[in-house]
Amino acid sequence: MLNCLLNSPENVVGNGTEVSLLERQRARLEWLDKLQQPQQHYVTNVSNNSIESHVNPRHRSLISDNLLHGEPEHQDDPSAKADVQILGDDSFPGIANFGKELGFVSPECRSSALTFHQEQSLLRTCSRLPVAVVEEMEYVFDKDRLNKRKAEFVVAVECKDKRIKGDAEGVESAASEKSCGETSQENSMALEVQKPDYIHVRARRGQATDSHSLAERARREKINNKMKYLQDMVPGCSRILGRAGMLDEIINYVQSLHRQVEFLSMKLAALNPQLEINTDNFEKEFPAYITSFPTATRPSAVANLPSLQLNPVQQGNTSCELDVLISSSATLPELYPDSSSFSKVQSFPTWESGLPRPYNVGFH
Amino acid sequence: MATKGVTLNTNARKIRFARRFISILLKMRKTRSPCSSSSIEDVRKRSQRIKIAAYSSMAHAVGPRRAWSRAVLFKLRSRARHQSMMKRRSFGLQKKRVVVVKNNNDIIPSGQLSQADRLRQLVPGGKAMDMCSLLEETADYISCLATQVKVMQTIADHFSK
């Protein structure tokens, strides 16, 4: 019924320009849909005050006051009574006709159905329609548009998955965000209206609607999101585009990190006898010390070798320590080459020149 | 964004790892006899122990939340159990401990391993994971390894000066 009310200001304001046929049909369909719900409200009370019962309780407060205001004035008006009777009619065609008369105006109907006062009151009610109701009406039209235009891929579980912590790093594309928003809205509306037991899924245009392929697509999208997250973590991966290359880089990076740990443990084993720590104070100071670690730079494993050269001299046995260190560094086949750090490499002593290029050396 | 939460998380992990690792190093220093010659074998053994200590302290710092840390802890505990059993059995005997290395699906089936399999071998506990969770665990494992390396580097620098 509100469709008609909405349409009537258009007609009145537009000075009789008729609403387009499509909108009329849409409005009719939606109005009929709405009628199916509050069917019980359409009681066959013909009394003047019973307009409230005829109206959907949601919209009651909007319409009733003005209509009632309009009604008593024209209580004696037979046309008004006829209106009420038509309004109170149970049969759908009758109500549809009334709606038609109200909304899709033919002048003769207008004159018989409503006087100028009532029209004004209706206009006032229309202008005062709350935003939520207007939005609902718009949504009703939007739903049609959704059906007609290209449908989006929609899985409610997928939307939830995309809010996983790991994926929160700006992985969602605009389309998926939109589809998530629409999905949630659509799902909520669907739940209100239809109460389905399962998730409604829509396939993209031109793609298979098989449940297997949909599940596979969801899985593939998850994996792609995680690969993107890994791409941010591993340095130098932003330029690589394929999945295979990315995986190779990741594997290399993990292997290099393992080698670094091994090398550092070797270094610490060599340094261990020189640990002179005031344990009590140190344990307290250490957390602060550690949090001040440089986070941006990566360790320069090879750059510290010159400093290690001095230490064995202090001990008795010099040669074997050096041998150990050199052999350990030689066993490192290849440190992870970071092309961005090539420019930062300092000049090393000659015996290191045989070694492959190290990491970023900005540690000192 | 999740970056702030991630950095807080990594800081806490860093501190826990550092504390544990340093305490282990100190223990090792105390137990080590002061006048032993630093032969290569000793250094290698010590480095092996330090490496294990690093991985175990990292796994403890992360806790049982992650699959890879659980796998590491399980490996360590089973190893410790195995070692204690061996000690009990071969008390006094100077047996060489034979370590059985299983090469099940290494290179035998086809010429080259697939990338996913190689990644599974690298990441602890990765053999029983599907691709999706494997990638997730890899990301966490990489971040933990990076912090581990940074901390160890800083410690080494501190003690080398």
Side-chain angles (χ1 to χ4, degrees):
Chain A
M1 213 180 101
L2 270 182
N3 296 325
C4 325
L5 293 173
L6 267 183
N7 281 327
S8 59
E10 287 178 30
N11 285 328
V12 172
V13 169
N15 291 326
T17 54
E18 286 188 358
V19 185
S20 69
L21 187 65
L22 191 59
E23 282 181 339
R24 245 186 264 161
Q25 284 173 346
R26 250 193 239 157
R28 212 178 296 165
L29 281 169
E30 294 309 328
W31 191 63
L32 283 176
D33 281 344
K34 277 200 184 292
L35 284 177
Q36 291 177 20
Q37 290 174 11
Q39 193 177 347
Q40 61 272 19
H41 295 297
Y42 286 94
V43 185
T44 54
N45 266 340
V46 194
S47 67
N48 290 334
N49 293 330
S50 66
I51 280 179
E52 287 188 50
S53 63
H54 298 318
V55 177
N56 200 338
R58 255 187 304 179
H59 315 308
R60 193 189 293 177
S61 58
L62 310 165
I63 302 167
S64 61
D65 290 342
N66 285 317
L67 279 181
L68 284 175
H69 279 309
E71 272 300 315
E73 290 173 33
H74 307 279
Q75 204 166 3
D76 302 328
D77 194 357
S79 60
K81 268 195 181 167
D83 292 341
V84 173
Q85 274 185 348
I86 292 168
L87 187 54
D89 196 344
D90 245 12
S91 63
F92 293 124
I95 293 172
N97 284 334
F98 176 67
K100 202 165 107 186
E101 281 167 358
L102 263 190
F104 318 110
V105 177
S106 48
E108 57 273 13
C109 288
R110 196 202 291 183
S111 60
S112 64
L114 297 166
T115 61
F116 186 65
H117 277 292
Q118 280 180 333
E119 274 182 340
Q120 274 194 334
S121 61
L122 278 174
L123 272 177
R124 266 180 260 132
T125 53
C126 295
S127 60
R128 261 182 248 154
L129 278 174
V131 180
V133 179
V134 171
E135 271 184 352
E136 193 203 275
M137 306 308 296
E138 285 175 0
Y139 172 78
V140 161
F141 290 120
D142 276 346
K143 203 172 172 184
D144 290 336
R145 260 181 259 141
L146 262 182
N147 287 334
K148 283 171 189 170
R149 76 172 178 206
K150 183 168 103 169
E152 301 285 342
F153 177 64
V154 159
V155 179
V157 178
E158 178 77 13
C159 281
K160 281 173 201 163
D161 277 344
K162 283 183 182 170
R163 283 164 207 144
I164 298 174
K165 193 177 69 170
D167 298 339
E169 300 255 337
V171 152
E172 286 179 337
S173 61
S176 60
E177 271 178 1
K178 206 171 62 168
S179 75
C180 274
E182 280 170 358
T183 323
S184 52
Q185 194 191 22
E186 202 180 23
N187 270 347
S188 62
M189 285 306 294
L191 283 169
E192 279 173 26
V193 175
Q194 304 167 17
K195 288 171 195 155
D197 296 324
Y198 41 87
I199 299 165
H200 285 284
V201 168
R202 283 218 180 94
R204 284 205 193 98
R205 191 185 183 129
Q207 289 186 347
T209 54
D210 194 18
S211 65
H212 291 295
S213 56
L214 285 174
E216 271 177 39
R217 211 176 303 141
R219 177 182 161 266
R220 253 180 277 146
E221 285 193 18
K222 263 194 223 175
I223 288 180
N224 284 335
N225 292 339
K226 291 192 177 139
M227 293 288 286
K228 279 184 206 165
Y229 182 63
L230 274 171
Q231 207 173 24
D232 296 333
M233 294 217 58
V234 177
C237 250
S238 48
R239 56 187 78 174
I240 294 170
L241 294 173
R243 199 197 276 194
M246 274 281 304
L247 279 175
D248 277 333
E249 285 292 315
I250 292 166
I251 288 168
N252 284 338
Y253 188 58
V254 172
Q255 281 172 342
S256 73
L257 283 173
H258 279 173
R259 271 180 250 131
Q260 269 193 309
V261 169
E262 197 177 325
F263 177 75
L264 284 169
S265 68
M266 192 80 80
K267 187 169 158 184
L268 280 173
L271 287 175
N272 216 2
Q274 297 168 21
L275 283 177
E276 289 171 2
I277 313 164
N278 201 354
T279 55
D280 300 322
N281 294 336
F282 196 78
E283 290 254 340
K284 289 169 198 169
E285 289 169 1
F286 209 81
Y289 179 71
I290 285 182
T291 49
S292 67
F293 284 176
T295 48
T297 62
R298 265 172 264 110
S300 58
V302 182
N304 283 309
L305 284 176
S307 64
L308 275 177
Q309 277 179 341
L310 301 170
N311 292 330
V313 174
Q314 295 166 9
Q315 290 182 358
N317 242 342
T318 62
S319 57
C320 53
E321 289 271 25
L322 261 179
D323 286 341
V324 165
L325 287 168
I326 292 172
S327 63
S328 68
S329 58
T331 53
L332 301 174
E334 211 179 305
L335 288 176
Y336 193 75
D338 189 9
S339 53
S340 64
S341 70
F342 281 167
S343 55
K344 298 180 193 171
V345 172
Q346 297 169 359
S347 60
F348 284 105
T350 52
W351 68 271
E352 287 183 40
S353 59
L355 290 168
R357 291 200 172 268
Y359 267 93
N360 183 352
V361 188
F363 203 75
H364 300 287
Chain B
M1 284 292 286
T3 46
K4 201 170 185 187
V6 167
T7 46
L8 287 172
N9 203 10
T10 47
N11 270 342
R13 268 195 220 163
K14 219 190 271 183
I15 292 170
R16 286 198 295 258
F17 165 71
R19 275 219 178 104
R20 226 184 155 97
F21 188 56
I22 285 174
S23 62
I24 292 178
L25 284 179
L26 291 175
K27 264 190 231 170
M28 285 179 61
R29 181 172 170 261
K30 280 177 192 169
T31 54
R32 182 179 174 271
S33 53
C35 57
S36 71
S37 62
S38 48
S39 64
I40 298 177
E41 274 298 318
D42 285 344
V43 173
R44 283 221 178 105
K45 278 184 194 168
R46 222 186 311 148
S47 75
Q48 182 78 3
R49 257 180 266 149
I50 290 178
K51 192 170 77 166
I52 293 171
Y55 281 119
S56 87
S57 47
M58 196 68 218
H60 278 289
V62 171
R65 263 177 256 131
R66 285 280 167 181
W68 67 265
S69 65
R70 287 195 294 264
V72 169
L73 291 170
F74 177 73
K75 238 187 271 179
L76 288 168
R77 279 178 199 146
S78 62
R79 200 163 186 242
R81 233 179 287 145
H82 182 73
Q83 279 183 352
S84 66
M85 276 178 61
M86 293 293 285
K87 274 184 192 168
R88 257 183 259 154
R89 282 183 188 171
S90 63
F91 192 84
L93 289 174
Q94 295 286 326
K95 244 202 246 176
K96 247 194 181 178
R97 292 202 191 107
V98 179
V99 180
V100 179
V101 177
K102 284 186 183 175
N103 262 344
N104 278 338
N105 46 2
D106 204 353
I107 309 176
I108 298 169
S110 60
Q112 269 252 313
L113 282 174
S114 84
Q115 291 166 325
D117 289 337
R118 270 158 63 196
L119 195 56
R120 286 206 169 92
Q121 282 180 347
L122 284 175
V123 176
K127 286 176 195 167
M129 281 192 244
D130 57 323
M131 192 63 186
C132 202
S133 48
L134 177 68
L135 290 176
E136 213 177 307
E137 294 294 322
T138 311
D140 195 59
Y141 188 56
I142 284 175
S143 72
C144 287
L145 275 181
T147 52
Q148 193 174 354
V149 163
K150 274 179 220 159
V151 171
M152 288 174 79
Q153 183 72 50
T154 315
I155 294 172
D157 280 347
H158 185 264
F159 292 132
S160 65
K161 282 171 192 168

